Amino acid sequence: MLRDNHGRAITYLRLAVTDRCNLRCHYCMPEHGLEWLSRRELLTYEEMLRLCRLLVSLGIDKVRITGGEPFVRKDMMQFLTALSGLDGLREIALTTNGVVTAPLVPELKRIGLRAVNLSLDTLDRERFFRITRRDELPRVMETLEALLRDDIGVKINAVVMDGQNTEDIVPLAEMTRELPVDVRFIEEMPFNGGDHATARPLWDHRRILNTLRGRWPGLEKIPDPAFSTSMNYRAPGHRGKIGIIAAWSRTFCGTCNRIRVTPQGVLKTCLYDHGVLNLRDKMREGWNDAQLTEHLLSAFNHRHKDGWAAEEARRGAPVEESMATIGG
Ligand code: SAM
């Protein structure tokens, strides 16, 4: 098994396949979008498959496809199909905003995808528009229905923002009563493409938990799966779980099993680091798998202890790149 210099297992790759997105969530990017990467700057599908194959041979057994919005990249389904054929890969997961995903769900099912994270910060159409700057709630809800119909596991992710959607915490959590979905509330992080300055979030994990307890005094703490980033709960009698992800407070670094590859092929061994190895350039310089392996292992051996140390090591580079350039 792959282990880092702190003894943590590394088993999970989050691969961002594009920086482009069909929403403009203000906690992620400015209204005008980003300076999108050119096609040449992006990893090609062949390069992604090569990296996945290599990382799986080293011990990665789960790959999550994220972005940007994965399905705005052309031929995404073909890439997913190729990835699903990779020997040794135990699980492929996907994070999507659900805007164009509904018609693709049967195909996702067919290639064996069992879990989708759906980003949904509110059930109110006006608030959805205010947050995402696009009027797409109905299409996202169609995706949710399609996923449930095809029995694909759904985790709904909601970023909690003061003055934006805190009134949605209870209605979103209420979905776990009848539906087989987990709903997770995420602390807002500063990765917004410079849209606005952020400090410690006013709605941290404690405040979110207090709100949930206010509605369900019998909210039960349930065991967290291995490597979980969420602290998990269940409201009395509910089918689904309710999770809280202390993404700003960084309470879960001690068991972090994740690495990330950005759309332009930069390896990140922590969400908060500034990138530790440009895999795209090395592949294009002609490095063979042995050379890549040597440098990957060295990067895993120099991992920061936690997100605070990683942020510190950025040496002044502010944490403000858009999450669409990382994948979440
Ligand atoms: N487009 C896909 C989607 O919306 O799910 C995948 C990429 S998106 C960057 C991945 C996740 O990052 C989403 O759940 C989004 O809400 C979350 N995210 C983006 N910016 C964030 C921020 N500043 N703080 C916390 N979560 C953020």
Side-chain angles (χ1 to χ4, degrees):
M1 178 179 280
L2 270 179
R3 289 207 177 267
D4 71 10
N5 44 322
H6 303 283
R8 293 171 295 200
I10 300 180
T11 57
Y12 178 12
L13 166 67
R14 298 169 68 97
L15 177 63
V17 294
T18 178
D19 57 336
R20 294 181 193 231
C21 193
N22 41 10
L23 296 180
R24 293 286 180 276
C25 305
H26 62 73
Y27 54 76
C28 186
M29 63 174 76
E31 183 158 18
H32 54 80
L34 307 172
E35 281 184 26
W36 309 117
L37 295 167
S38 67
R39 181 177 258 234
R40 251 203 62 72
E41 290 171 286
L42 290 175
L43 284 183
T44 65
Y45 285 141
E46 290 71 26
E47 288 168 336
M48 287 184 212
L49 279 172
R50 176 176 174 202
L51 279 180
C52 288
R53 195 171 297 116
L54 184 60
L55 285 163
V56 167
S57 77
L58 295 176
I60 294 290
D61 65 3
K62 172 174 175 181
V63 175
R64 174 175 300 281
I65 301 303
T66 173
E69 171 54 32
F71 292 114
V72 302
R73 184 155 176 182
K74 203 165 150 246
D75 299 331
M76 188 58 220
M77 211 61 204
Q78 269 163 265
F79 170 68
L80 284 174
T81 307
L83 190 64
S84 70
L86 210 67
D87 273 347
L89 184 55
R90 182 181 53 84
E91 185 180 350
I92 302 178
L94 175 77
T95 302
T96 177
N97 61 29
V99 173
V100 296
T101 317
L104 305 168
V105 168
E107 186 67 3
L108 292 174
K109 174 85 178 172
R110 200 188 58 74
I111 65 167
L113 202 101
R114 280 177 288 143
V116 167
N117 286 4
L118 184 65
S119 303
L120 178 60
D121 305 316
T122 176
L123 294 170
D124 177 89
R125 194 162 173 174
E126 262 176 45
R127 280 198 291 279
F128 186 96
F129 180 73
R130 268 209 303 278
I131 293 170
T132 67
R133 302 174 173 127
R134 297 288 185 270
D135 182 24
E136 295 287 12
L137 181 62
R139 290 212 282 173
V140 178
M141 297 311 285
E142 277 171 33
T143 292
L144 176 60
E145 280 164 28
L147 290 166
L148 293 173
R149 205 165 40 240
D150 266 340
D151 208 19
I152 293 181
V154 181
K155 288 181 185 163
I156 291 175
N157 286 335
V159 180
V160 179
M161 295 155 288
D162 188 55
Q164 301 288 332
N165 66 342
T166 54
E167 59 273 70
D168 289 291
I169 295 176
V170 167
L172 284 165
E174 185 65 40
M175 294 173 84
T176 65
R177 182 190 296 275
E178 301 291 346
L179 296 176
V181 298
D182 295 343
V183 174
R184 291 124 45 98
F185 297 101
I186 307 175
E187 291 177 350
E188 183 179 3
M189 293 178 274
F191 297 99
N192 59 37
D195 187 57
H196 54 276
T198 49
R200 165 187 273 280
L202 289 174
W203 283 78
D204 69 358
H205 58 104
R206 291 183 197 87
R207 194 165 175 195
I208 297 168
L209 181 58
N210 283 341
T211 302
L212 292 165
R213 283 211 195 287
R215 169 64 184 82
W216 291 285
L219 191 74
E220 182 198 355
K221 177 77 190 79
I222 56 176
D224 302 323
F227 309 120
S228 174
T229 52
S230 54
M231 298 174 268
N232 294 288
Y233 301 85
R234 193 181 297 277
H238 284 211
R239 288 178 79 180
K241 294 186 277 187
I242 302 173
I244 302 176
I245 302 182
W248 188 93
S249 304
R250 288 159 252 191
T251 54
F252 42 72
C253 302
T255 56
C256 179
N257 65 337
R258 298 146 184 239
I259 55 169
R260 293 174 167 81
V261 173
T262 70
Q264 65 272 57
V266 174
L267 174 72
K268 286 166 74 77
T269 57
C270 171
L271 176 58
Y272 283 86
D273 74 30
H274 205 219
V276 297
L277 176 62
N278 190 323
L279 292 159
R280 179 199 64 197
D281 289 354
K282 298 305 173 198
M283 285 192 283
R284 293 184 188 173
E285 279 166 30
W287 278 20
N288 62 27
D289 283 358
Q291 287 169 303
L292 285 171
T293 300
E294 186 190 329
H295 286 80
L296 282 165
L297 295 181
S298 165
F300 302 157
N301 224 4
H302 290 86
R303 235 175 142 212
H304 292 292
K305 181 169 139 282
D306 56 31
W308 300 104
E311 185 173 347
E312 178 84 28
R314 293 168 69 109
R315 287 193 208 90
V319 179
E320 64 170 23
E321 64 271 29
S322 166
M323 193 66 97
T325 65
I326 305 174

